[in-house]
Amino acid sequence: MLGKVARTGVAGTWGYTAPDGKRYAIMGTAKGVLVLDLSNTASPRVVDEIDGPTNTNSPDVYWREMRVYGQHAYIVSEHTNVRAGIMILDLSGLPNSVRFVRSVIAHDGELPAHAVDIDTARGLLYLQRFGNGHLHTQTMHMHHPVGGPNQGSIEIWDLKPDPENPTYVSTFNKGKSVHDMTAVGNFAYVAEGTAAGYSIWNVENPAAPTLVVRWSVEPGHFAHNIWPSGDGSFVVTTEEIPLGLPARVWQLNGNAVPTLLSSFKIGTGTPHNVVMEGRTAYLSHYTEGAAVVDLSNPAVPRVVARVDTSALTGPDMAGCWGVYKFPGVPLMTCSDTQNGFHLIGITGN
């Protein structure tokens, strides 16, 4: 552990490397969005905490996720009051300041979103949509709406022409629950929530995505998160419900159903989210903290590092919510729902 910053109502985290090479962290809090200067790794400095929407559906839980494109951050939440929608922050004033630019309303006219991802190479933002337009019609997953098995979609927005004024491109994966997605190059990988499955889409033409393959997991499992290896040969998935399920590793077979290669978890905990760099998985593992798993042989996962950020134990949804791995350096962040921000130096064997 290198440094900590205490906060409450914590959710997602991400990172930003400025043009001068300085590193910053972004994290969701009860107030809004915390931006930290990591120049002193032992004592991260709070640059700003920008107000965001706060009318949560569940006491003390403020779902926020964020991504970065260029010198701008894009933050979504499930809340609908002040600055709701896709919050855009200008990071070009760092290390001195952060500027709130505006909030963008999704193409379907609704403000909440549970997840966002950005293909930084192409400048395309992918926005999770709940379903048929109104929160009161949507099913609830652990106090937050994700849409029923036949509800949901993903919107694509183009950031390249003007990062402060995204342009709507298209909507795809209509009529399926969507919880999360990861976009890399010509493919979008989708975790289909209450639909208990995953799908991969060809988005070479973002105006007309096409389905490559869809596969199911056990009925009643909640398909939570999916991320491809660096070479695109396999994906790692997490299923948050029932509590205590392991992460799974799937070999991709083109348009044929993927092959299950292995599964893994730590102790009695529940893996929450995974991000990949090459053939290494970085996990937020709720009560078990943050973990690093070597998948150089994806059939034989090997835990090589772990930092337990929480005194809690068991499969509950508390502890390390999200992680971010800074590319090419042994440094990652963890957002712990009870304990706040953690900066972690990665060591392992």
Side-chain angles (χ1 to χ4, degrees), residues 69 118-124 160 184-185:
Y69 173 68
I118 297 175
D119 176 0
T120 56
R122 303 176 73 195
L124 296 175
K160 294 190 302 296
V184 181

Side-chain angles (χ1 to χ4, degrees), residues 141 179-180 191 193 198 222-226 238-240 272-273:
H141 158 61
H179 181 266
D180 201 359
Y198 300 91
F222 186 82
H224 187 272
N225 169 241
I226 179 171
T238 61
E239 296 156 45
E240 191 180 42
H272 184 222
N273 285 326

Side-chain angles (χ1 to χ4, degrees), residues 196-208:
Y198 300 91
S199 61
I200 300 174
W201 294 75
N202 185 318
V203 291
E204 183 175 7
N205 177 4

Side-chain angles (χ1 to χ4, degrees), residues 4 10 14 24 27 31 67 90 126-127 137 145 152 167 174 214 233 244 267-268 273-274 276 287 318 325 339:
K4 302 179 184 180
V10 169
W14 207 247
Y24 302 87
M27 185 179 76
K31 177 179 172 63
R67 293 293 188 267
D90 177 8
Y126 292 74
L127 183 69
T137 66
T167 303
K174 296 179 182 179
R214 172 175 280 128
S233 64
T268 59
N273 285 326
V274 59
M276 295 282 297
T287 61
K325 166 64 170 58
N339 299 316

Side-chain angles (χ1 to χ4, degrees), residues 172-197:
F172 72 100
N173 202 29
K174 296 179 182 179
K176 279 285 184 182
S177 173
V178 173
H179 181 266
D180 201 359
M181 64 269 137
T182 303
V184 181
N186 290 334
F187 297 97
Y189 305 80
V190 183
E192 295 183 341
T194 57

Side-chain angles (χ1 to χ4, degrees), residues 201-331:
W201 294 75
N202 185 318
V203 291
E204 183 175 7
N205 177 4
T210 57
L211 179 65
V212 176
V213 63
R214 172 175 280 128
W215 72 102
S216 298
V217 293
E218 292 83 349
H221 286 206
F222 186 82
H224 187 272
N225 169 241
I226 179 171
W227 206 284
S229 61
D231 62 5
S233 64
F234 64 89
V235 294
V236 180
T237 64
T238 61
E239 296 156 45
E240 191 180 42
I241 293 175
L243 294 174
L245 292 174
R248 298 207 243 193
V249 184
W250 306 84
Q251 176 185 298
L252 299 183
N253 302 314
N255 60 5
V257 171
T259 304
L260 181 62
L261 294 175
S262 60
S263 62
F264 63 89
K265 70 171 187 172
I266 297 171
T268 59
T270 300
H272 184 222
N273 285 326
V274 59
V275 300
M276 295 282 297
E277 184 179 54
R279 287 182 166 234
T280 303
Y282 301 85
L283 284 92
S284 54
H285 206 299
Y286 275 138
T287 61
E288 297 290 347
V292 181
V293 179
D294 177 9
L295 293 172
S296 53
N297 178 355
V300 186
R302 188 168 64 94
V303 177
V304 294
R306 175 189 167 221
V307 173
D308 193 352
T309 62
S310 175
L312 301 172
T313 58
D316 289 345
M317 297 180 192
C320 186
W321 172 291
V323 294
Y324 173 80
K325 166 64 170 58
F326 283 95
V329 295
L331 195 65

Side-chain angles (χ1 to χ4, degrees), residues 88-113:
I88 304 176
L89 303 182
D90 177 8
L91 306 177
S92 64
L94 290 170
N96 299 315
S97 63
V98 177
R99 177 176 66 94
F100 170 72
V101 176
R102 60 184 293 235
S103 287
V104 175
I105 299 175
H107 182 72
D108 65 8
E110 296 295 318
L111 294 172

Side-chain angles (χ1 to χ4, degrees), residues 154-168:
I154 299 171
E155 291 183 4
I156 303 178
W157 291 72
D158 191 354
L159 306 177
K160 294 190 302 296
D162 184 351
E164 297 189 356
N165 293 282
T167 303
Y168 170 76

